[in-house]
Amino acid sequence: MTTLQDRGETAADKKIWVTLKGLPLTIRLEWPFHPSTSGADFWVLHGDIRLEGSEGLHAPVAVNLSQTVREVMPSLEPKDAEAPVINALRKEVDRRQIEFLKSGKLLPVPFSSRHYDFKRQQWVFGKATDDVMVEFIERKVYWQTTLAGGKRVWLADPAEAQYLQTTPAHVVEIAARLVAAQGLLRIEGDWAEPTQGLLGQAARFENTRREAVEELEKKHAFERG
């Protein structure tokens, strides 16, 4: 099985993680997890989320893994923990809980049981409809190719499927049936290339990104009073 560390992406090393709100992010995680030094019963992983396309806006974070969730994870190694950690961070950005600044202070981010369904024994970040997945795939391919310079984008990434609460096969099927059919993608197996039809919609993707940033800034400005 292809892992997050072995995607075969030789064209571009820079991975763009798009949120459902349309924000392109890069996420750096400082492995490994380590026990909290405050005496609390949780594990900590430091990282930094950068808002791509902005003038250096970022959010330093401390992911606080609860003991309850630690017990259901096979390990705290990247092969088991990277995808749910990244998706938990994306979900917090979706929920406008993370503020991007040019010089931000370290923000604690809970990585807790609200992200895990113990009954079904699976991670839950919100079930995306097919329509939402169409928009997500368009944005994913656009931002990955324009910001990272790659020509092809891997559609069957299990981390993306987990974030959308579906399967890699369904993501590929949606891309082929609904996005490629509009002439926006060229599909080859589990990979996609943007057409000029997609790349020509730069204003739409940038407007979505700008509106999401504005909503985020308004929310945090209101909280600061």
Side-chain angles (χ1 to χ4, degrees):
M1 178 182 293
T2 306
T3 66
L4 289 174
Q5 290 75 35
D6 184 26
R7 284 183 286 257
E9 295 177 9
T10 57
D13 295 328
K14 185 177 182 180
K15 175 69 177 181
I16 304 297
W17 300 101
V18 178
T19 74
L20 290 179
K21 297 291 187 181
L23 294 176
L25 312 173
T26 51
I27 301 175
R28 177 177 55 82
L29 298 173
E30 300 175 5
W31 300 96
F33 270 101
H34 58 271
S36 169
T37 56
S38 67
D41 190 20
F42 57 83
W43 295 69
V44 180
L45 179 67
H46 290 156
D48 192 84
I49 309 172
R50 301 196 70 84
L51 178 59
E52 294 297 324
S54 69
E55 297 181 356
L57 297 180
H58 71 115
V61 294
V63 180
N64 295 334
L65 171 66
S66 69
Q67 183 62 30
T68 303
V69 173
R70 168 67 184 92
E71 291 172 357
V72 303
M73 298 184 70
S75 78
L76 295 184
E77 297 299 316
K79 65 183 179 66
D80 295 314
E82 182 181 29
V85 166
I86 285 173
N87 289 333
L89 291 173
R90 277 196 285 187
K91 184 54 62 176
E92 292 304 298
V93 174
D94 285 335
R95 296 178 60 243
R96 294 182 290 177
Q97 297 301 304
I98 292 178
E99 183 176 13
F100 295 97
L101 301 168
K102 288 189 176 180
S103 178
K105 65 179 182 179
L106 191 66
L107 175 69
V109 178
F111 184 30
S112 62
S113 56
R114 69 180 175 184
H115 298 304
Y116 194 80
D117 185 332
F118 288 90
K119 184 177 180 179
R120 296 181 176 85
Q121 296 186 334
Q122 66 181 28
W123 297 102
V124 288
F125 298 101
K127 177 69 174 175
T129 65
D130 286 359
D131 288 342
V132 169
M133 278 190 269
V134 166
E135 288 188 331
F136 177 85
I137 292 166
E138 291 174 351
R139 294 165 182 168
K140 170 184 170 70
V141 174
Y142 175 80
W143 287 117
Q144 182 66 42
T145 53
T146 57
L147 290 175
K151 294 182 179 179
R152 300 196 308 161
V153 177
W154 187 36
L155 296 174
D157 189 332
E160 303 288 32
Q162 183 186 86
Y163 178 55
L164 301 170
Q165 208 166 321
T166 187
T167 64
H170 187 54
V171 175
V172 175
E173 189 266 332
I174 290 295
R177 178 164 59 88
L178 298 179
V179 185
Q182 301 176 42
L184 301 179
L185 299 179
R186 287 185 291 271
I187 306 291
E188 182 179 345
D190 293 342
W191 296 80
E193 290 185 28
T195 65
Q196 285 304 314
L198 184 73
L199 296 176
Q201 299 186 35
R204 175 165 70 94
F205 297 114
E206 179 55 38
N207 286 340
T208 298
R209 188 196 71 84
R210 185 175 62 251
E211 289 170 1
V213 172
E214 289 174 355
E215 289 181 7
L216 195 62
E217 291 176 341
K218 286 179 183 178
K219 188 256 191 185
H220 289 289
F222 175 80
E223 290 177 345
R224 289 194 298 270

PDB file of all heavy atoms in Angstrom, residues 47-85:
ATOM      1  N   GLY A  47       4.102  21.863  15.521  1.00  0.00           N
ATOM      2  CA  GLY A  47       4.069  22.022  14.074  1.00  0.00           C
ATOM      3  C   GLY A  47       3.824  23.460  13.688  1.00  0.00           C
ATOM      4  O   GLY A  47       3.711  24.350  14.539  1.00  0.00           O
ATOM      5  N   ASP A  48       3.737  23.686  12.403  1.00  0.00           N
ATOM      6  CA  ASP A  48       3.482  25.023  11.886  1.00  0.00           C
ATOM      7  C   ASP A  48       2.630  24.899  10.627  1.00  0.00           C
ATOM      8  O   ASP A  48       2.945  24.099   9.738  1.00  0.00           O
ATOM      9  CB  ASP A  48       4.799  25.743  11.558  1.00  0.00           C
ATOM     10  CG  ASP A  48       4.580  27.231  11.303  1.00  0.00           C
ATOM     11  OD1 ASP A  48       4.538  27.986  12.284  1.00  0.00           O
ATOM     12  OD2 ASP A  48       4.428  27.615  10.137  1.00  0.00           O
ATOM     13  N   ILE A  49       1.539  25.676  10.578  1.00  0.00           N
ATOM     14  CA  ILE A  49       0.641  25.683   9.429  1.00  0.00           C
ATOM     15  C   ILE A  49       0.843  26.997   8.685  1.00  0.00           C
ATOM     16  O   ILE A  49       0.698  28.073   9.270  1.00  0.00           O
ATOM     17  CB  ILE A  49      -0.831  25.568   9.867  1.00  0.00           C
ATOM     18  CG1 ILE A  49      -1.031  24.401  10.824  1.00  0.00           C
ATOM     19  CG2 ILE A  49      -1.745  25.423   8.654  1.00  0.00           C
ATOM     20  CD1 ILE A  49      -2.417  24.359  11.443  1.00  0.00           C
ATOM     21  N   ARG A  50       1.172  26.918   7.421  1.00  0.00           N
ATOM     22  CA  ARG A  50       1.375  28.122   6.615  1.00  0.00           C
ATOM     23  C   ARG A  50       0.216  28.279   5.638  1.00  0.00           C
ATOM     24  O   ARG A  50      -0.201  27.313   4.988  1.00  0.00           O
ATOM     25  CB  ARG A  50       2.689  28.053   5.844  1.00  0.00           C
ATOM     26  CG  ARG A  50       3.905  27.902   6.739  1.00  0.00           C
ATOM     27  CD  ARG A  50       5.190  28.222   5.995  1.00  0.00           C
ATOM     28  NE  ARG A  50       5.297  29.644   5.704  1.00  0.00           N
ATOM     29  CZ  ARG A  50       5.760  30.549   6.571  1.00  0.00           C
ATOM     30  NH1 ARG A  50       6.146  30.189   7.780  1.00  0.00           N
ATOM     31  NH2 ARG A  50       5.829  31.821   6.225  1.00  0.00           N
ATOM     32  N   LEU A  51      -0.302  29.494   5.572  1.00  0.00           N
ATOM     33  CA  LEU A  51      -1.365  29.822   4.629  1.00  0.00           C
ATOM     34  C   LEU A  51      -0.715  30.220   3.312  1.00  0.00           C
ATOM     35  O   LEU A  51      -0.175  31.322   3.180  1.00  0.00           O
ATOM     36  CB  LEU A  51      -2.236  30.948   5.181  1.00  0.00           C
ATOM     37  CG  LEU A  51      -3.378  31.433   4.288  1.00  0.00           C
ATOM     38  CD1 LEU A  51      -4.330  30.290   3.954  1.00  0.00           C
ATOM     39  CD2 LEU A  51      -4.135  32.564   4.966  1.00  0.00           C
ATOM     40  N   GLU A  52      -0.751  29.316   2.351  1.00  0.00           N
ATOM     41  CA  GLU A  52      -0.088  29.564   1.073  1.00  0.00           C
ATOM     42  C   GLU A  52      -0.839  30.639   0.279  1.00  0.00           C
ATOM     43  O   GLU A  52      -2.060  30.755   0.356  1.00  0.00           O
ATOM     44  CB  GLU A  52      -0.002  28.272   0.263  1.00  0.00           C
ATOM     45  CG  GLU A  52       0.895  27.221   0.889  1.00  0.00           C
ATOM     46  CD  GLU A  52       2.342  27.661   0.994  1.00  0.00           C
ATOM     47  OE1 GLU A  52       2.826  28.361   0.078  1.00  0.00           O
ATOM     48  OE2 GLU A  52       2.994  27.318   2.000  1.00  0.00           O
ATOM     49  N   GLY A  53      -0.080  31.404  -0.471  1.00  0.00           N
ATOM     50  CA  GLY A  53      -0.666  32.496  -1.236  1.00  0.00           C
ATOM     51  C   GLY A  53      -0.780  33.780  -0.438  1.00  0.00           C
ATOM     52  O   GLY A  53      -1.232  34.794  -0.955  1.00  0.00           O
ATOM     53  N   SER A  54      -0.383  33.728   0.841  1.00  0.00           N
ATOM     54  CA  SER A  54      -0.424  34.929   1.690  1.00  0.00           C
ATOM     55  C   SER A  54       0.987  35.468   1.844  1.00  0.00           C
ATOM     56  O   SER A  54       1.951  34.867   1.379  1.00  0.00           O
ATOM     57  CB  SER A  54      -0.999  34.589   3.069  1.00  0.00           C
ATOM     58  OG  SER A  54      -0.086  33.775   3.806  1.00  0.00           O
ATOM     59  N   GLU A  55       1.119  36.583   2.516  1.00  0.00           N
ATOM     60  CA  GLU A  55       2.432  37.188   2.747  1.00  0.00           C
ATOM     61  C   GLU A  55       2.996  36.714   4.077  1.00  0.00           C
ATOM     62  O   GLU A  55       3.125  37.470   5.035  1.00  0.00           O
ATOM     63  CB  GLU A  55       2.326  38.714   2.695  1.00  0.00           C
ATOM     64  CG  GLU A  55       1.894  39.249   1.337  1.00  0.00           C
ATOM     65  CD  GLU A  55       1.820  40.761   1.298  1.00  0.00           C
ATOM     66  OE1 GLU A  55       2.034  41.386   2.359  1.00  0.00           O
ATOM     67  OE2 GLU A  55       1.543  41.322   0.220  1.00  0.00           O
ATOM     68  N   GLY A  56       3.300  35.426   4.137  1.00  0.00           N
ATOM     69  CA  GLY A  56       3.961  34.878   5.318  1.00  0.00           C
ATOM     70  C   GLY A  56       3.066  34.581   6.499  1.00  0.00           C
ATOM     71  O   GLY A  56       3.561  34.430   7.630  1.00  0.00           O
ATOM     72  N   LEU A  57       1.755  34.493   6.299  1.00  0.00           N
ATOM     73  CA  LEU A  57       0.864  34.180   7.418  1.00  0.00           C
ATOM     74  C   LEU A  57       0.998  32.709   7.794  1.00  0.00           C
ATOM     75  O   LEU A  57       1.008  31.828   6.931  1.00  0.00           O
ATOM     76  CB  LEU A  57      -0.583  34.496   7.043  1.00  0.00           C
ATOM     77  CG  LEU A  57      -0.916  35.952   6.734  1.00  0.00           C
ATOM     78  CD1 LEU A  57      -2.391  36.104   6.392  1.00  0.00           C
ATOM     79  CD2 LEU A  57      -0.541  36.856   7.906  1.00  0.00           C
ATOM     80  N   HIS A  58       1.087  32.461   9.105  1.00  0.00           N
ATOM     81  CA  HIS A  58       1.226  31.079   9.572  1.00  0.00           C
ATOM     82  C   HIS A  58       0.700  30.962  10.994  1.00  0.00           C
ATOM     83  O   HIS A  58       0.373  31.968  11.648  1.00  0.00           O
ATOM     84  CB  HIS A  58       2.696  30.639   9.503  1.00  0.00           C
ATOM     85  CG  HIS A  58       3.567  31.301  10.539  1.00  0.00           C
ATOM     86  ND1 HIS A  58       4.186  30.610  11.541  1.00  0.00           N
ATOM     87  CD2 HIS A  58       3.895  32.603  10.724  1.00  0.00           C
ATOM     88  CE1 HIS A  58       4.883  31.436  12.291  1.00  0.00           C
ATOM     89  NE2 HIS A  58       4.724  32.660  11.819  1.00  0.00           N
ATOM     90  N   ALA A  59       0.607  29.719  11.467  1.00  0.00           N
ATOM     91  CA  ALA A  59       0.117  29.459  12.826  1.00  0.00           C
ATOM     92  C   ALA A  59       0.944  28.346  13.450  1.00  0.00           C
ATOM     93  O   ALA A  59       0.806  27.182  13.055  1.00  0.00           O
ATOM     94  CB  ALA A  59      -1.360  29.073  12.802  1.00  0.00           C
ATOM     95  N   PRO A  60       1.820  28.675  14.415  1.00  0.00           N
ATOM     96  CA  PRO A  60       2.527  27.630  15.162  1.00  0.00           C
ATOM     97  C   PRO A  60       1.529  26.899  16.067  1.00  0.00           C
ATOM     98  O   PRO A  60       0.713  27.547  16.734  1.00  0.00           O
ATOM     99  CB  PRO A  60       3.549  28.400  15.999  1.00  0.00           C
ATOM    100  CG  PRO A  60       3.579  29.781  15.424  1.00  0.00           C
ATOM    101  CD  PRO A  60       2.227  30.017  14.837  1.00  0.00           C
ATOM    102  N   VAL A  61       1.571  25.569  16.075  1.00  0.00           N
ATOM    103  CA  VAL A  61       0.582  24.810  16.841  1.00  0.00           C
ATOM    104  C   VAL A  61       1.257  23.748  17.703  1.00  0.00           C
ATOM    105  O   VAL A  61       2.342  23.268  17.394  1.00  0.00           O
ATOM    106  CB  VAL A  61      -0.452  24.124  15.918  1.00  0.00           C
ATOM    107  CG1 VAL A  61      -1.303  25.156  15.194  1.00  0.00           C
ATOM    108  CG2 VAL A  61       0.222  23.191  14.914  1.00  0.00           C
ATOM    109  N   ALA A  62       0.582  23.395  18.786  1.00  0.00           N
ATOM    110  CA  ALA A  62       0.964  22.265  19.626  1.00  0.00           C
ATOM    111  C   ALA A  62      -0.236  21.326  19.653  1.00  0.00           C
ATOM    112  O   ALA A  62      -1.261  21.631  20.259  1.00  0.00           O
ATOM    113  CB  ALA A  62       1.318  22.728  21.035  1.00  0.00           C
ATOM    114  N   VAL A  63      -0.122  20.205  18.952  1.00  0.00           N
ATOM    115  CA  VAL A  63      -1.213  19.229  18.879  1.00  0.00           C
ATOM    116  C   VAL A  63      -1.197  18.408  20.160  1.00  0.00           C
ATOM    117  O   VAL A  63      -0.209  17.717  20.458  1.00  0.00           O
ATOM    118  CB  VAL A  63      -1.042  18.314  17.655  1.00  0.00           C
ATOM    119  CG1 VAL A  63      -2.176  17.294  17.593  1.00  0.00           C
ATOM    120  CG2 VAL A  63      -0.987  19.136  16.372  1.00  0.00           C
ATOM    121  N   ASN A  64      -2.279  18.491  20.938  1.00  0.00           N
ATOM    122  CA  ASN A  64      -2.368  17.796  22.217  1.00  0.00           C
ATOM    123  C   ASN A  64      -3.225  16.543  22.065  1.00  0.00           C
ATOM    124  O   ASN A  64      -4.450  16.616  21.952  1.00  0.00           O
ATOM    125  CB  ASN A  64      -2.967  18.720  23.280  1.00  0.00           C
ATOM    126  CG  ASN A  64      -2.063  19.903  23.585  1.00  0.00           C
ATOM    127  OD1 ASN A  64      -0.848  19.824  23.398  1.00  0.00           O
ATOM    128  ND2 ASN A  64      -2.637  20.989  24.056  1.00  0.00           N
ATOM    129  N   LEU A  65      -2.569  15.398  22.039  1.00  0.00           N
ATOM    130  CA  LEU A  65      -3.236  14.109  21.845  1.00  0.00           C
ATOM    131  C   LEU A  65      -3.719  13.567  23.186  1.00  0.00           C
ATOM    132  O   LEU A  65      -2.915  13.324  24.095  1.00  0.00           O
ATOM    133  CB  LEU A  65      -2.271  13.119  21.189  1.00  0.00           C
ATOM    134  CG  LEU A  65      -2.707  11.666  21.100  1.00  0.00           C
ATOM    135  CD1 LEU A  65      -3.910  11.518  20.184  1.00  0.00           C
ATOM    136  CD2 LEU A  65      -1.554  10.798  20.608  1.00  0.00           C
ATOM    137  N   SER A  66      -5.026  13.370  23.308  1.00  0.00           N
ATOM    138  CA  SER A  66      -5.577  12.873  24.568  1.00  0.00           C
ATOM    139  C   SER A  66      -5.239  11.397  24.759  1.00  0.00           C
ATOM    140  O   SER A  66      -5.032  10.650  23.795  1.00  0.00           O
ATOM    141  CB  SER A  66      -7.098  13.064  24.594  1.00  0.00           C
ATOM    142  OG  SER A  66      -7.724  12.206  23.661  1.00  0.00           O
ATOM    143  N   GLN A  67      -5.204  10.973  26.019  1.00  0.00           N
ATOM    144  CA  GLN A  67      -4.902   9.575  26.337  1.00  0.00           C
ATOM    145  C   GLN A  67      -5.963   8.649  25.769  1.00  0.00           C
ATOM    146  O   GLN A  67      -5.666   7.534  25.333  1.00  0.00           O
ATOM    147  CB  GLN A  67      -4.791   9.393  27.852  1.00  0.00           C
ATOM    148  CG  GLN A  67      -4.417   7.989  28.289  1.00  0.00           C
ATOM    149  CD  GLN A  67      -3.047   7.559  27.775  1.00  0.00           C
ATOM    150  OE1 GLN A  67      -2.164   8.404  27.599  1.00  0.00           O
ATOM    151  NE2 GLN A  67      -2.877   6.269  27.519  1.00  0.00           N
ATOM    152  N   THR A  68      -7.211   9.110  25.721  1.00  0.00           N
ATOM    153  CA  THR A  68      -8.305   8.285  25.193  1.00  0.00           C
ATOM    154  C   THR A  68      -8.060   7.927  23.735  1.00  0.00           C
ATOM    155  O   THR A  68      -8.234   6.771  23.325  1.00  0.00           O
ATOM    156  CB  THR A  68      -9.641   9.036  25.317  1.00  0.00           C
ATOM    157  OG1 THR A  68      -9.862   9.386  26.676  1.00  0.00           O
ATOM    158  CG2 THR A  68     -10.787   8.167  24.832  1.00  0.00           C
ATOM    159  N   VAL A  69      -7.649   8.911  22.942  1.00  0.00           N
ATOM    160  CA  VAL A  69      -7.381   8.660  21.526  1.00  0.00           C
ATOM    161  C   VAL A  69      -6.062   7.917  21.361  1.00  0.00           C
ATOM    162  O   VAL A  69      -5.931   7.058  20.472  1.00  0.00           O
ATOM    163  CB  VAL A  69      -7.373   9.977  20.737  1.00  0.00           C
ATOM    164  CG1 VAL A  69      -6.934   9.756  19.295  1.00  0.00           C
ATOM    165  CG2 VAL A  69      -8.770  10.593  20.744  1.00  0.00           C
ATOM    166  N   ARG A  70      -5.082   8.200  22.202  1.00  0.00           N
ATOM    167  CA  ARG A  70      -3.805   7.483  22.132  1.00  0.00           C
ATOM    168  C   ARG A  70      -4.022   5.977  22.212  1.00  0.00           C
ATOM    169  O   ARG A  70      -3.339   5.194  21.523  1.00  0.00           O
ATOM    170  CB  ARG A  70      -2.892   7.953  23.274  1.00  0.00           C
ATOM    171  CG  ARG A  70      -1.642   7.100  23.491  1.00  0.00           C
ATOM    172  CD  ARG A  70      -0.687   7.220  22.314  1.00  0.00           C
ATOM    173  NE  ARG A  70       0.464   6.343  22.454  1.00  0.00           N
ATOM    174  CZ  ARG A  70       0.528   5.111  21.974  1.00  0.00           C
ATOM    175  NH1 ARG A  70      -0.517   4.591  21.336  1.00  0.00           N
ATOM    176  NH2 ARG A  70       1.623   4.389  22.110  1.00  0.00           N
ATOM    177  N   GLU A  71      -4.973   5.545  22.997  1.00  0.00           N
ATOM    178  CA  GLU A  71      -5.205   4.120  23.207  1.00  0.00           C
ATOM    179  C   GLU A  71      -5.767   3.404  21.986  1.00  0.00           C
ATOM    180  O   GLU A  71      -5.649   2.185  21.876  1.00  0.00           O
ATOM    181  CB  GLU A  71      -6.146   3.915  24.408  1.00  0.00           C
ATOM    182  CG  GLU A  71      -5.492   4.297  25.742  1.00  0.00           C
ATOM    183  CD  GLU A  71      -6.474   4.275  26.900  1.00  0.00           C
ATOM    184  OE1 GLU A  71      -7.679   4.019  26.647  1.00  0.00           O
ATOM    185  OE2 GLU A  71      -6.046   4.508  28.039  1.00  0.00           O
ATOM    186  N   VAL A  72      -6.379   4.149  21.050  1.00  0.00           N
ATOM    187  CA  VAL A  72      -6.946   3.502  19.860  1.00  0.00           C
ATOM    188  C   VAL A  72      -5.999   3.588  18.658  1.00  0.00           C
ATOM    189  O   VAL A  72      -6.291   2.998  17.614  1.00  0.00           O
ATOM    190  CB  VAL A  72      -8.308   4.117  19.476  1.00  0.00           C
ATOM    191  CG1 VAL A  72      -9.279   4.020  20.639  1.00  0.00           C
ATOM    192  CG2 VAL A  72      -8.164   5.554  18.994  1.00  0.00           C
ATOM    193  N   MET A  73      -4.882   4.293  18.808  1.00  0.00           N
ATOM    194  CA  MET A  73      -3.953   4.440  17.692  1.00  0.00           C
ATOM    195  C   MET A  73      -2.930   3.308  17.696  1.00  0.00           C
ATOM    196  O   MET A  73      -2.397   2.948  18.757  1.00  0.00           O
ATOM    197  CB  MET A  73      -3.252   5.792  17.761  1.00  0.00           C
ATOM    198  CG  MET A  73      -4.206   6.970  17.651  1.00  0.00           C
ATOM    199  SD  MET A  73      -3.369   8.560  17.623  1.00  0.00           S
ATOM    200  CE  MET A  73      -2.597   8.497  15.999  1.00  0.00           C
ATOM    201  N   PRO A  74      -2.646   2.724  16.527  1.00  0.00           N
ATOM    202  CA  PRO A  74      -1.647   1.652  16.462  1.00  0.00           C
ATOM    203  C   PRO A  74      -0.280   2.087  16.975  1.00  0.00           C
ATOM    204  O   PRO A  74       0.426   1.326  17.628  1.00  0.00           O
ATOM    205  CB  PRO A  74      -1.597   1.310  14.961  1.00  0.00           C
ATOM    206  CG  PRO A  74      -2.905   1.774  14.412  1.00  0.00           C
ATOM    207  CD  PRO A  74      -3.263   2.984  15.214  1.00  0.00           C
ATOM    208  N   SER A  75       0.099   3.342  16.663  1.00  0.00           N
ATOM    209  CA  SER A  75       1.359   3.895  17.140  1.00  0.00           C
ATOM    210  C   SER A  75       1.303   5.407  16.982  1.00  0.00           C
ATOM    211  O   SER A  75       0.356   5.944  16.396  1.00  0.00           O
ATOM    212  CB  SER A  75       2.546   3.341  16.341  1.00  0.00           C
ATOM    213  OG  SER A  75       2.648   3.982  15.077  1.00  0.00           O
ATOM    214  N   LEU A  76       2.335   6.075  17.484  1.00  0.00           N
ATOM    215  CA  LEU A  76       2.438   7.521  17.310  1.00  0.00           C
ATOM    216  C   LEU A  76       3.445   7.870  16.222  1.00  0.00           C
ATOM    217  O   LEU A  76       3.866   9.014  16.101  1.00  0.00           O
ATOM    218  CB  LEU A  76       2.837   8.187  18.634  1.00  0.00           C
ATOM    219  CG  LEU A  76       1.815   8.086  19.765  1.00  0.00           C
ATOM    220  CD1 LEU A  76       2.288   8.874  20.982  1.00  0.00           C
ATOM    221  CD2 LEU A  76       0.445   8.570  19.322  1.00  0.00           C
ATOM    222  N   GLU A  77       3.806   6.878  15.415  1.00  0.00           N
ATOM    223  CA  GLU A  77       4.704   7.102  14.292  1.00  0.00           C
ATOM    224  C   GLU A  77       3.942   7.785  13.156  1.00  0.00           C
ATOM    225  O   GLU A  77       2.723   7.642  13.037  1.00  0.00           O
ATOM    226  CB  GLU A  77       5.294   5.780  13.812  1.00  0.00           C
ATOM    227  CG  GLU A  77       6.159   5.079  14.842  1.00  0.00           C
ATOM    228  CD  GLU A  77       7.362   5.920  15.239  1.00  0.00           C
ATOM    229  OE1 GLU A  77       8.017   6.495  14.340  1.00  0.00           O
ATOM    230  OE2 GLU A  77       7.635   6.021  16.450  1.00  0.00           O
ATOM    231  N   PRO A  78       4.656   8.525  12.291  1.00  0.00           N
ATOM    232  CA  PRO A  78       3.987   9.213  11.184  1.00  0.00           C
ATOM    233  C   PRO A  78       3.116   8.314  10.321  1.00  0.00           C
ATOM    234  O   PRO A  78       2.053   8.739   9.859  1.00  0.00           O
ATOM    235  CB  PRO A  78       5.164   9.790  10.381  1.00  0.00           C
ATOM    236  CG  PRO A  78       6.230  10.003  11.400  1.00  0.00           C
ATOM    237  CD  PRO A  78       6.097   8.862  12.364  1.00  0.00           C
ATOM    238  N   LYS A  79       3.524   7.057  10.092  1.00  0.00           N
ATOM    239  CA  LYS A  79       2.737   6.171   9.234  1.00  0.00           C
ATOM    240  C   LYS A  79       1.333   5.940   9.767  1.00  0.00           C
ATOM    241  O   LYS A  79       0.402   5.684   9.001  1.00  0.00           O
ATOM    242  CB  LYS A  79       3.454   4.823   9.066  1.00  0.00           C
ATOM    243  CG  LYS A  79       3.596   4.011  10.346  1.00  0.00           C
ATOM    244  CD  LYS A  79       4.382   2.733  10.093  1.00  0.00           C
ATOM    245  CE  LYS A  79       4.541   1.915  11.379  1.00  0.00           C
ATOM    246  NZ  LYS A  79       3.250   1.396  11.872  1.00  0.00           N
ATOM    247  N   ASP A  80       1.147   6.046  11.073  1.00  0.00           N
ATOM    248  CA  ASP A  80      -0.169   5.855  11.682  1.00  0.00           C
ATOM    249  C   ASP A  80      -0.824   7.161  12.111  1.00  0.00           C
ATOM    250  O   ASP A  80      -2.055   7.255  12.154  1.00  0.00           O
ATOM    251  CB  ASP A  80      -0.056   4.935  12.910  1.00  0.00           C
ATOM    252  CG  ASP A  80       0.369   3.523  12.546  1.00  0.00           C
ATOM    253  OD1 ASP A  80      -0.203   2.968  11.583  1.00  0.00           O
ATOM    254  OD2 ASP A  80       1.266   2.976  13.218  1.00  0.00           O
ATOM    255  N   ALA A  81      -0.028   8.163  12.444  1.00  0.00           N
ATOM    256  CA  ALA A  81      -0.577   9.384  13.059  1.00  0.00           C
ATOM    257  C   ALA A  81      -0.623  10.588  12.139  1.00  0.00           C
ATOM    258  O   ALA A  81      -1.386  11.526  12.394  1.00  0.00           O
ATOM    259  CB  ALA A  81       0.244   9.736  14.311  1.00  0.00           C
ATOM    260  N   GLU A  82       0.160  10.589  11.057  1.00  0.00           N
ATOM    261  CA  GLU A  82       0.252  11.808  10.243  1.00  0.00           C
ATOM    262  C   GLU A  82      -1.085  12.211   9.650  1.00  0.00           C
ATOM    263  O   GLU A  82      -1.498  13.375   9.737  1.00  0.00           O
ATOM    264  CB  GLU A  82       1.271  11.627   9.113  1.00  0.00           C
ATOM    265  CG  GLU A  82       1.434  12.881   8.265  1.00  0.00           C
ATOM    266  CD  GLU A  82       2.419  12.706   7.127  1.00  0.00           C
ATOM    267  OE1 GLU A  82       2.569  11.576   6.624  1.00  0.00           O
ATOM    268  OE2 GLU A  82       3.026  13.713   6.735  1.00  0.00           O
ATOM    269  N   ALA A  83      -1.796  11.278   9.026  1.00  0.00           N
ATOM    270  CA  ALA A  83      -3.054  11.623   8.356  1.00  0.00           C
ATOM    271  C   ALA A  83      -4.092  12.195   9.323  1.00  0.00           C
ATOM    272  O   ALA A  83      -4.639  13.278   9.070  1.00  0.00           O
ATOM    273  CB  ALA A  83      -3.617  10.412   7.609  1.00  0.00           C
ATOM    274  N   PRO A  84      -4.411  11.504  10.453  1.00  0.00           N
ATOM    275  CA  PRO A  84      -5.415  12.091  11.345  1.00  0.00           C
ATOM    276  C   PRO A  84      -4.978  13.405  11.987  1.00  0.00           C
ATOM    277  O   PRO A  84      -5.814  14.271  12.245  1.00  0.00           O
ATOM    278  CB  PRO A  84      -5.655  10.999  12.396  1.00  0.00           C
ATOM    279  CG  PRO A  84      -4.481  10.102  12.322  1.00  0.00           C
ATOM    280  CD  PRO A  84      -4.026  10.145  10.895  1.00  0.00           C
ATOM    281  N   VAL A  85      -3.680  13.577  12.243  1.00  0.00           N
ATOM    282  CA  VAL A  85      -3.212  14.853  12.796  1.00  0.00           C
ATOM    283  C   VAL A  85      -3.434  15.975  11.785  1.00  0.00           C
ATOM    284  O   VAL A  85      -3.969  17.040  12.122  1.00  0.00           O
ATOM    285  CB  VAL A  85      -1.722  14.768  13.192  1.00  0.00           C
ATOM    286  CG1 VAL A  85      -1.144  16.164  13.434  1.00  0.00           C
ATOM    287  CG2 VAL A  85      -1.552  13.926  14.444  1.00  0.00           C
TER     288      VAL A  85
END
